[in-house]
Amino acid sequence: MNIIKWRTSYDTGVPSMDEQHQQLIDFINSLFRVLRKKESTETIGPILDDMATYAAKHLREEEALLQKHDFPGYEEHLTLHKDYREKVAALTRDWKKQDKMTARRIYAFLREWWLEHIVENDKKYGSFLTEKGVK
């Protein structure tokens, strides 16, 4: 069962970014399923590691795309990504204690941050990049 279902309202209009956002949502759904089943923390770790790697790649690609096309909100967007990286780093340090409550806090943060970021921030670049011919 997925807690978050992809909706067309999440689409930015940039297919490559939308596909990556969907993958990030899939990671969050995987984490939810593991936490819901109350599986061991050993099951949670690999999901968090894979998501962290994928999210880092996504943020780099998104930043490069915005910079390449001189997106007017680039600096502000970069700050949001920086804040995300710092929060994830702090949660990861806590996670190393293998605390299941930390896993729940990480899940809650990831779910809230990514959904809000996609809908409130990433959608802002969609029409701008589409007009530039980005697909």
Side-chain angles (χ1 to χ4, degrees):
M1 178 180 109
N2 288 337
I3 189 73
I4 305 169
K5 297 194 182 347
W6 187 261
R7 300 176 182 163
T8 56
S9 63
Y10 301 160
D11 288 342
T12 64
V14 180
S16 62
M17 292 295 104
D18 291 336
E19 288 171 22
Q20 290 180 20
H21 290 154
Q22 288 176 37
Q23 180 60 48
L24 289 161
I25 297 301
D26 287 345
F27 281 117
I28 295 168
N29 282 327
S30 294
L31 183 56
F32 170 78
R33 286 190 297 274
V34 168
L35 289 170
R36 185 169 182 221
K37 291 179 184 176
K38 300 183 179 170
E39 294 183 25
S40 74
T41 54
E42 293 153 6
T43 310
I44 296 167
I47 295 169
L48 292 175
D49 291 343
D50 289 347
M51 180 168 185
T53 300
Y54 193 86
K57 175 185 173 284
H58 165 71
L59 294 175
R60 282 190 310 272
E61 288 181 17
E62 187 176 270
E63 290 164 2
L65 190 62
L66 297 178
Q67 186 175 34
K68 176 182 177 182
H69 294 283
D70 295 319
F71 177 62
Y74 173 73
E75 291 299 325
E76 179 183 333
H77 208 88
L78 203 60
T79 299
L80 294 170
H81 287 184
K82 179 180 175 275
D83 293 345
Y84 169 82
R85 288 179 176 107
E86 288 172 0
K87 179 67 174 179
V88 167
L91 288 168
T92 300
R93 284 190 297 275
D94 290 346
W95 168 248
K96 296 203 189 262
K97 298 173 189 168
Q98 296 293 311
D99 177 6
K100 204 161 207 175
M101 289 307 293
T102 300
R104 287 187 179 94
R105 285 194 349 255
I106 292 170
Y107 161 75
F109 169 75
L110 293 173
R111 179 181 174 179
E112 181 180 328
W113 194 89
W114 279 105
L115 286 175
E116 181 181 320
H117 186 72
I118 291 167
V119 173
E120 299 294 323
N121 298 290
D122 287 351
K123 287 188 70 107
K124 291 177 183 175
Y125 68 63
S127 59
F128 176 82
L129 292 177
T130 302
E131 287 175 16
K132 297 271 187 179
V134 176
K135 297 187 182 207

